């Protein structure tokens, strides 16, 4: 009898441990999926926002009438074709009238002054894009998400709106790749509590408010990420819900899986084990053999769970590295550059030392794009980034795309002579590439370079913006004096000491 009790206790303990492991692994996997979906949403909106910024620049350059609008229309059509998530691009004037859009046969008879994004930009000035509530498109009736930016006139007054629309079907296709069970759900919402999209899609889901839900009130509103078990007030299903705020936009993602479905396999295994124990109590010798087999299967399942966790961790690390790189040039992006520069300056402020910053601007790049097209411009930027990466190869050097045709290089523990040597190597390598540029210096692509070097004792408080401004001043001097040259400045580290231009180089 005692042996039977011990066996029952051991089996019960083992089953509960497996249950805990199953819940822990499922919760971790749920959280990783939420993180991946948040990064995907960030990338989706960021790609459209980059198109909007380019559209603003195009409107500023080509104007709002005649041939300029035709070129803008052609560019908009090309951008919609190149981005799968992009349903359309639109430009409205200050009264909400359609000026130009990405439709092949351009339609201008509608007015969008009643849309929330138009009202928001009309009443607010902001440098950030605005993501509106889900709406039905006036042009084709499909459900879309909007991301928009304000157009400012020369005097700063409201001049209209540039709008990109994201087809919800694009998100739906991506969300359908994830196995969340029959009772699971994936949700995208904004931090005001409005549901932007949901899988599975219900007729009354889009635009519904979550503001009164316990998950939103007690967790999403106060934390950027987390995992919680909540029973739904609508269908009574207990779900494991993982949420994650987007890094670049005021949105969040929820991934919810039914706890009952998560534990379905464990429950089947538990019943099978109980049946084995019953047989063991009836026929000891047969039961003993069955228990050994169960233990072996459990060990295999645990090894599989460990392997799956390692694979998920590897995937997350790969996604994290991808989020740090610029999608076009494969060098580090602006966000990573800001973090790296702040980290190096924190070290300088704490311990003292040397640090140099190089700012590189491709000369006459807008004219390059106008002459050869944006596709050739992308190839040009890719080759320039490769040149910079080969010139700055020390272990802790950081080469980043600062924005547009501008690059930045952080050189830790690098004094003025070291920085100038690297800058000269970059210039020489770029000239050697001999990228044809009809409007460039010598008929090739060149760059203007600003170098700032900092040598400071411990105890100072130097911000990243301070060092960037000194490097930008040097870059301005290089461009002002004819481009295709290097201008160097020492960062002032005491009151009254002005930045000194020590070296300039032409050709």
């Amino acid at each position: 009898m005692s042996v039977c009790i011990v066996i029952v206790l051991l089996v019960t303990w083992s089953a509960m441990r497996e249950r805990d492991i199953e819940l822990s692994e499922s919760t971790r996997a749920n959280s990783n999926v939420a993180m991946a979906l948040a990064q995907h949403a960030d990338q989706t909106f960021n790609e459209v926002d980059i198109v909007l910024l380019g559209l603003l620049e195009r409107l500023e350059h080509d104007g709002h009438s005649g041939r300029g609008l035709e070129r803008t229309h052609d560019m908009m059509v090309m951008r919609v074709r190149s981005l799968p998530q992009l349903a359309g691009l639109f430009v409205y004037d200050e009264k909400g009238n359609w000026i130009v859009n990405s439709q092949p046969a351009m339609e201008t008879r509608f007015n969008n002054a009643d849309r929330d994004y138009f009202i928001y930009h009309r009443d607010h000035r902001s440098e950030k894009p605005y993501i509106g509530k889900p709406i039905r498109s006036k042009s084709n009736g499909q459900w879309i998400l909007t991301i928009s930016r304000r157009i400012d006139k020369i005097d700063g007054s409201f001049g209209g709106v540039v709008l990109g629309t994201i087809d919800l079907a694009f998100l739906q296709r991506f969300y359908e790749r994830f196995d969340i069970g029959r009772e699971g759900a994936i949700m995208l919402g904004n931090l005001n509590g409005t549901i932007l999209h949901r899988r599975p899609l219900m007729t009354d889901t889009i635009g519904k408010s979550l503001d009164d839900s316990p998950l939103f009130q007690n967790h999403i509103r106060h934390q950027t990420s987390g995992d919680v078990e909540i029973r739904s007030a609508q269908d009574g299903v207990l779900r494991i819900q993982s949420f994650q705020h987007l890094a670049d936009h005021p949105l969040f993602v929820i991934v919810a899986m039914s706890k009952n479905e998560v534990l379905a396999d464990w429950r089947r295994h538990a019943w099978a084990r109980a049946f084995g124990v019953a047989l063991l109590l009836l026929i000891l010798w047969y039961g003993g053999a069955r228990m050994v087999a169960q233990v072996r299967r459990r060990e295999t399942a645990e090894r599989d769970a460990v392997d799956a966790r390692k694979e998920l961790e590897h995937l997350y690390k790969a996604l994290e590295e991808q989020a740090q790189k610029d999608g076009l040039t494969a060098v580090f992006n602006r966000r990573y550059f800001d973090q790296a520069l702040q980290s190096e300056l924190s070290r300088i402020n704490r311990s003292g030392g040397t640090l140099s910053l190089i700012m590189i601007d491709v000369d006459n790049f807008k004219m390059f794009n106008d002459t050869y097209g944006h596709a050739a411009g992308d190839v040009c930027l890719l080759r320039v980034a490769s040149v910079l990466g080969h010139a700055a190869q020390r272990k802790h050097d950081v080469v980043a795309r600062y924005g547009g045709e501008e690059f930045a290089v952080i050189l830790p523990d690098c004094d003025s002579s070291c920085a100038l040597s690297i800058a000269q190597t970059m210039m020489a390598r770029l000239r050697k590439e001999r990228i044809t540029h009809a409007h460039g210096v010598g008929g090739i692509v060149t760059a203007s370079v600003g170098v700032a070097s900092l040598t400071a004792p411990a105890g100072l408080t130097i911000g990243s913006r301070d060092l960037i401004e000194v490097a930008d001043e040097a870059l301005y001097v290089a461009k002002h004096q004819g481009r295709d040259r290097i201008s160097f400045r020492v960062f002032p580290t005491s009151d009254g000491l002005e930045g000194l231009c020590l070296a300039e180089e032409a050709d």
Side-chain angles (χ1 to χ4, degrees), residues 393-398:
Q393 290 188 326
R394 299 185 313 157
K395 180 178 181 182
H396 298 293
D397 292 347
V398 174

Side-chain angles (χ1 to χ4, degrees), residues 92-93 95-98 108-115 138:
Y92 312 115
D93 65 16
K95 295 181 180 180
N97 296 317
W98 292 26
T108 60
R109 60 190 175 89
F110 295 112
N111 184 285
N112 281 42
D114 59 335
R115 294 299 199 187
K138 287 186 177 181

